[in-house]
Amino acid sequence: KNMKIICTALVTLLASPAQAFAPQSSSIKPSSTRGSHVVLEAAKDDLIEIAEKSNPVLKYYDPLQLGSTTIWGETNSATIGFLRHSEIKHGRIAMAAFVGYIVQANGIHFPWQMSFDGTPFPANAGSPPEQWDALPDAAKWQIILFIGFLEWFSEAAGKHYMRGGKPGAFPNFSDSDLIPHPVPLNLYDPFGFSKGKTEAQKANGLIKELNNGRLAMIGIMGFLAEQKVEGAVPLLKGVVPHYDGEVMAPFM
C-alpha cells in the first residue's frame, strides 16, 4: 500500500512545467530608452536559456507575457527577480509538503511525544489534513509563527532579490546582525555540503530544483484536490481518502 501511494504520486507528477524566470545577469543600469531595451533583452535571453534547460521539449513558453511585464512600478529586472524568487520558494515549500504528505499518509512520525503532557502526535487521526486539524491551536501557532519568522528574515537580511540579489538565496543566520544571539546552523546547507561545488554544478542543481519544485506543486495540489473532489485526479481515485474539512482554513 505504501509503495502504491508513492508510485501513483510519482506518475501523477509527470506533467509539463511552466516557464522558468531567471534573474538579470547584466549589471548595466538603463539610462535611456535604448539602454532599457538592452537590459530587457539581456533578461529575456536569461529566461529563454533557463527555460530551454529546464524543459527542452516545451522550451520558452510565456503566453501571459510575464517575462516582459513590470509590477508595482518596478523595473522589468526587479519584476523578474520577484517572479523567480517566488517560483523557487513555492517550489521548495511544495517539495516539503509533498514529501510530508507521503510520510504522514504512511503513519510515520517522530518517536517522542508531541507535548510535555504526553500527548502523542495525531498519526491515527486520518489523512494528513485531518492530522493537521487534530493538532492543538498552540502547536499550529508555533509552526505558523516560525514560518513567518523565516519569511521576515529572508526579506530583511542580505541583498534583496529585487535589488540585484540572487533569487532563491536564503540569507545565512551567521552573517546577519538581525538575530541577537549566535545560531549554530544555517537554514540552507547547514553542514556545508555545497561549499565545494562549482558554479556549473550549482547551475545544474538549480534546474533540477526548479523542475522538482514544479512537479511537487502539481503533486501536492493533486492530493488535496482528490481528497476534496473524488475523481478530480483519476490516478489518485481510491488512493487518498475523502476529506470533509477545509485545507485553506488552518484553525477550523
Side-chain angles (χ1 to χ4, degrees):
K1 179 180 178 181
N2 296 353
M3 287 303 299
K4 181 181 178 183
I5 292 178
I6 296 174
C7 292
T8 305
L10 291 176
V11 172
T12 305
L13 290 180
L14 294 178
S16 170
Q19 79 156 66
F21 293 97
Q24 175 190 335
S25 60
S26 173
S27 60
I28 302 175
K29 295 184 179 180
S31 56
S32 64
T33 303
R34 181 181 177 183
S36 299
H37 179 73
V38 171
V39 172
L40 177 59
E41 288 303 313
K44 200 69 161 291
D45 289 343
D46 286 341
L47 296 181
I48 295 173
E49 180 181 1
I50 197 169
E52 291 180 347
K53 287 181 178 179
S54 62
N55 192 325
V57 177
L58 186 63
K59 296 185 178 181
Y60 183 73
Y61 181 66
D62 186 15
L64 299 180
Q65 298 297 307
L66 295 177
S68 304
T69 191
T70 58
I71 56 176
W72 305 318
E74 296 285 349
T75 64
N76 176 254
S77 178
T79 300
I80 290 175
F82 171 83
L83 295 172
R84 276 288 295 111
H85 186 82
S86 179
E87 181 183 28
I88 294 172
K89 179 170 66 174
H90 286 88
R92 290 168 179 167
I93 294 169
M95 284 188 278
F98 180 76
V99 174
Y101 187 103
I102 294 176
V103 169
Q104 287 183 251
N106 286 277
I108 302 172
H109 58 86
F110 292 114
W112 53 80
Q113 302 301 314
M114 181 178 65
S115 60
F116 291 121
D117 63 5
T119 303
F121 287 96
N124 297 323
S127 65
E130 290 167 321
Q131 292 179 41
W132 170 266
D133 291 341
L135 287 174
D137 284 353
K140 294 178 181 179
W141 275 116
Q142 289 178 51
I143 295 170
I144 293 173
L145 289 175
F146 178 67
I147 294 172
F149 161 75
L150 295 179
E151 181 73 8
W152 165 79
F153 184 81
S154 68
E155 292 290 319
K159 193 172 185 180
H160 199 270
Y161 49 85
M162 293 181 71
R163 298 291 180 267
K166 183 178 179 181
F170 193 90
N172 290 332
F173 296 132
S174 56
D175 297 337
S176 175
D177 57 0
L178 296 176
I179 301 179
H181 58 79
V183 179
L185 299 174
N186 291 309
L187 181 66
Y188 171 73
D189 195 22
F191 303 108
F193 294 142
S194 299
K195 286 185 176 180
K197 289 187 177 181
T198 65
E199 290 302 316
Q201 289 175 319
K202 292 179 180 179
N204 186 48
L206 175 61
I207 297 299
K208 293 178 181 178
E209 182 181 35
L210 283 171
N211 283 336
N212 289 336
R214 292 164 181 166
L215 294 175
M217 284 187 268
I218 296 172
I220 188 60
M221 292 307 296
F223 278 143
L224 298 177
E226 177 61 29
Q227 282 202 262
K228 288 296 293 182
V229 182
E230 187 175 349
V233 184
L235 287 174
L236 292 177
K237 187 175 182 179
V239 178
V240 295
H242 180 73
Y243 173 60
D244 290 321
E246 177 53 67
V247 294
M248 301 306 291
F251 292 98
M252 286 187 65

